Amino acid sequence: MAITLKQAQTVIEAAIKKSLEPGVKMNIAVVDTGANLTAFGRMDGAWLGSLDIAIKKAKTACFFDMETGEPGKLSQPGQPLFNIQHSNNGLITFPGGVLVKDSGGEIIGAIGVSGSVVENDHEVATYAANNYK
Amino acid sequence: MAITLKQAQTVIEAAIKKSLEPGVKMNIAVVDTGANLTAFGRMDGAWLGSLDIAIKKAKTACFFDMETGEPGKLSQPGQPLFNIQHSNNGLITFPGGVLVKDSGGEIIGAIGVSGSVVENDHEVATYAANNYK
Amino acid sequence: MAITLKQAQTVIEAAIKKSLEPGVKMNIAVVDTGANLTAFGRMDGAWLGSLDIAIKKAKTACFFDMETGEPGKLSQPGQPLFNIQHSNNGLITFPGGVLVKDSGGEIIGAIGVSGSVVENDHEVATYAANNYK
Amino acid sequence: MAITLKQAQTVIEAAIKKSLEPGVKMNIAVVDTGANLTAFGRMDGAWLGSLDIAIKKAKTACFFDMETGEPGKLSQPGQPLFNIQHSNNGLITFPGGVLVKDSGGEIIGAIGVSGSVVENDHEVATYAANNYK
């Protein structure tokens, strides 16, 4: 099952709602299980450089079926996946990319959020992935 | 003035509404006046290859402040802008990219639509640009 | 349904068998419905430049759910999709890319063949798509 | 001597056979001595992001006539080849890329495997390189 546009838009709305709490401005990307962009929204005034990062975070989570922070740990200097970021036209491997699952627990896509510190990016992405239904 | 996320999302909803008439499945991209993606939506089942085309149409319209069909005419063999498509990481210069203006007539962004024949792409983009308010 | 590796390998073997008739040397790529490479084989001595072409043909057929020759007709000078090849990191729109369907007629992937004149490329691709089962 | 398609396909079959032991799902690429893709296979359900990594591992091994883990050691911070991954459209320098030699010990190509932890990737690649004959 791939995420529908309606679901992807609801994920973005949940992310926007959560972003308004700390008052951060996010780029929010949602991809399907093929890592193809399904929906995107950039909050007014969000960092321009975060646009590409949000998309790459969503793709990275999808590429390896895991949150983006995980390959980030394994790709530090001296770690097994050092510089894996050079693959797939650029991975982003710090937090902010999270898998989106349906009510049955099946992966249907991923969300990538970028625009603040990684803690906020991750919190917003996680909230949206868990509260879009 | 740049298009707001709220406006961009309304543009996309107008495009989706118009697409449902002939029953076509569109990729719809909205960029601001800096040619940066502001919002995006891919209708369920839309051609995968049209994702990139929709984004490039919106950017192309923005790059030159004109509908995408215009540079298409000027870039034919023997014409002044022959093969201008090689610039800017790839332009798409056939119809489906249209400027979005505010109520005062000022350009605030552009929409790119791809997923059907160019006549439909252009009609949907034009409708959305004129009926998002 | 996406094509399995076993099916993709059988498609390639059918293409190789067909290529041996006229004695041509082909690059043969098979992608799934997400346009992701599933299997590939380059016959000994096949043109090096055809490697990328074969992969792009398979992707192009998948991107638009049609044989690669179709967008080729529509993208000639003066035609509606002129220079569409600049999208998606490069399309190849001459014959040699064909959809692969399962026994129920559902699209499960696509094959791209390159290494000879387009008539041979197309014939080999079509044969393989129809005789892999 | 460059690897033949028949040999490359046998390398892939050996890699698949070895992957089935721990039950991992691999992307497997084989390149010739010119670093050109000769054969490729993606096991059903293998990580999408590993497709590009497998190809880059095979190319990297071929580029420098060594296993991919070697330049990985030399490209750590403070080491002589720091960030060499930026060359050649992206190198992958952790284990999983191994040279393929003929019965006389001459290099005829390289295999790249990606889809699990690097220990498994390397074990599968090494097994296939040594057991394809």
Side-chain angles (χ1 to χ4, degrees):
Chain A
M1 276 295 294
I3 196 166
T4 65
L5 174 55
K6 184 68 74 180
Q7 289 173 313
Q9 289 174 328
T10 311
V11 169
I12 289 178
E13 290 313 306
I16 292 173
K17 179 188 162 197
K18 186 68 177 176
S19 299
L20 294 175
E21 288 180 15
V24 290
K25 301 165 183 172
M26 298 298 199
N27 289 266
I28 307 149
V30 177
V31 300
D32 64 18
T33 51
N36 305 299
L37 192 65
T38 302
F40 177 84
R42 181 156 51 94
M43 294 175 69
D44 302 340
W47 283 331
L48 191 54
S50 283
L51 196 172
D52 184 53
I53 294 173
I55 294 175
K56 282 187 165 58
K57 280 183 180 175
K59 287 178 182 269
T60 299
C62 174
F63 282 151
F64 303 104
D65 286 351
M66 60 181 73
E67 298 188 355
T68 48
E70 294 308 308
K73 296 173 194 166
L74 296 170
S75 58
Q76 296 293 322
Q79 295 302 310
L81 305 181
F82 180 56
N83 267 352
I84 191 175
Q85 294 84 2
H86 288 265
S87 69
N88 294 289
N89 287 319
L91 299 177
I92 292 294
T93 60
F94 43 82
V98 172
L99 295 170
V100 178
K101 300 178 182 177
D102 64 15
S103 52
E106 192 183 1
I107 298 171
I108 57 174
I111 177 175
V113 174
S114 180
S116 180
V117 294
V118 294
E119 289 79 6
N120 283 340
D121 293 353
H122 179 70
E123 187 179 4
V124 168
T126 302
Y127 176 87
N130 289 331
N131 292 279
Y132 75 93
K133 288 180 278 260
Chain B
M1 278 295 296
I3 195 166
T4 65
L5 174 55
K6 185 67 74 179
Q7 289 173 314
Q9 288 174 326
T10 311
V11 170
I12 288 178
E13 289 313 307
I16 291 172
K17 178 187 163 198
K18 186 67 178 176
S19 299
L20 294 176
E21 289 180 15
V24 290
K25 301 166 184 172
M26 298 297 199
N27 289 266
I28 307 149
V30 177
V31 300
D32 64 17
T33 51
N36 305 299
L37 193 65
T38 302
F40 176 84
R42 181 156 53 95
M43 294 175 69
D44 302 340
W47 280 331
L48 193 54
S50 283
L51 196 172
D52 184 55
I53 294 174
I55 294 175
K56 282 185 164 56
K57 280 183 180 176
K59 286 176 182 272
T60 298
C62 175
F63 283 151
F64 304 105
D65 284 353
M66 61 181 73
E67 295 187 357
T68 48
E70 295 307 309
K73 297 174 192 165
L74 296 170
S75 58
Q76 296 292 322
Q79 295 303 310
L81 306 182
F82 178 55
N83 268 351
I84 191 175
Q85 294 85 0
H86 286 268
S87 68
N88 297 287
N89 287 320
L91 299 177
I92 290 294
T93 61
F94 44 81
V98 172
L99 295 169
V100 177
K101 300 177 181 177
D102 64 15
S103 53
E106 191 183 2
I107 297 170
I108 57 172
I111 176 176
V113 174
S114 180
S116 180
V117 294
V118 293
E119 290 79 6
N120 283 342
D121 292 353
H122 180 69
E123 187 179 5
V124 168
T126 303
Y127 175 88
N130 289 330
N131 292 278
Y132 74 93
K133 287 179 282 258
Chain C
M1 276 295 296
I3 196 165
T4 64
L5 174 55
K6 185 68 74 179
Q7 289 172 314
Q9 289 173 326
T10 311
V11 170
I12 289 178
E13 289 313 306
I16 292 172
K17 179 187 162 196
K18 187 67 177 175
S19 299
L20 294 175
E21 288 179 15
V24 291
K25 301 165 184 174
M26 298 299 199
N27 288 265
I28 307 149
V30 178
V31 300
D32 64 18
T33 51
N36 306 299
L37 193 64
T38 302
F40 176 83
R42 182 157 51 94
M43 294 174 69
D44 302 341
W47 283 332
L48 192 53
S50 284
L51 196 172
D52 184 54
I53 293 173
I55 294 175
K56 281 187 166 57
K57 281 183 179 175
K59 286 176 181 271
T60 298
C62 173
F63 283 151
F64 304 105
D65 286 351
M66 60 181 72
E67 297 188 356
T68 48
E70 294 309 307
K73 296 173 193 166
L74 296 170
S75 58
Q76 295 294 321
Q79 295 302 309
L81 305 182
F82 179 56
N83 266 352
I84 191 175
Q85 294 82 1
H86 288 265
S87 69
N88 294 290
N89 288 319
L91 300 176
I92 291 294
T93 60
F94 44 80
V98 172
L99 294 170
V100 178
K101 299 177 181 176
D102 65 14
S103 52
E106 191 184 1
I107 298 171
I108 57 173
I111 176 176
V113 174
S114 179
S116 180
V117 294
V118 293
E119 289 80 6
N120 283 340
D121 292 354
H122 179 69
E123 187 179 3
V124 169
T126 303
Y127 176 87
N130 289 330
N131 292 279
Y132 75 92
K133 288 180 280 260
Chain D
M1 278 294 295
I3 195 166
T4 64
L5 175 55
K6 185 67 75 180
Q7 289 173 313
Q9 289 174 326
T10 311
V11 169
I12 288 178
E13 290 312 307
I16 292 173
K17 179 186 161 197
K18 186 67 177 176
S19 300
L20 294 176
E21 289 180 15
V24 289
K25 301 166 183 173
M26 298 298 199
N27 289 266
I28 307 150
V30 177
V31 300
D32 63 17
T33 51
N36 305 298
L37 193 64
T38 303
F40 176 83
R42 181 156 53 95
M43 294 174 70
D44 302 341
W47 280 332
L48 193 53
S50 283
L51 196 172
D52 184 55
I53 294 174
I55 294 176
K56 282 185 165 56
K57 281 183 179 175
K59 287 177 182 271
T60 298
C62 175
F63 283 152
F64 303 106
D65 285 352
M66 60 181 74
E67 297 188 356
T68 48
E70 295 306 308
K73 297 173 192 165
L74 297 170
S75 58
Q76 295 292 322
Q79 295 302 310
L81 306 182
F82 179 55
N83 267 352
I84 191 174
Q85 293 85 0
H86 286 268
S87 69
N88 296 288
N89 287 320
L91 298 177
I92 291 294
T93 60
F94 44 81
V98 172
L99 295 170
V100 177
K101 300 177 182 177
D102 65 14
S103 52
E106 192 183 1
I107 297 170
I108 59 173
I111 176 176
V113 174
S114 179
S116 180
V117 294
V118 293
E119 289 79 7
N120 282 341
D121 292 354
H122 179 68
E123 186 179 5
V124 168
T126 302
Y127 175 88
N130 290 330
N131 291 279
Y132 74 92
K133 287 179 281 258

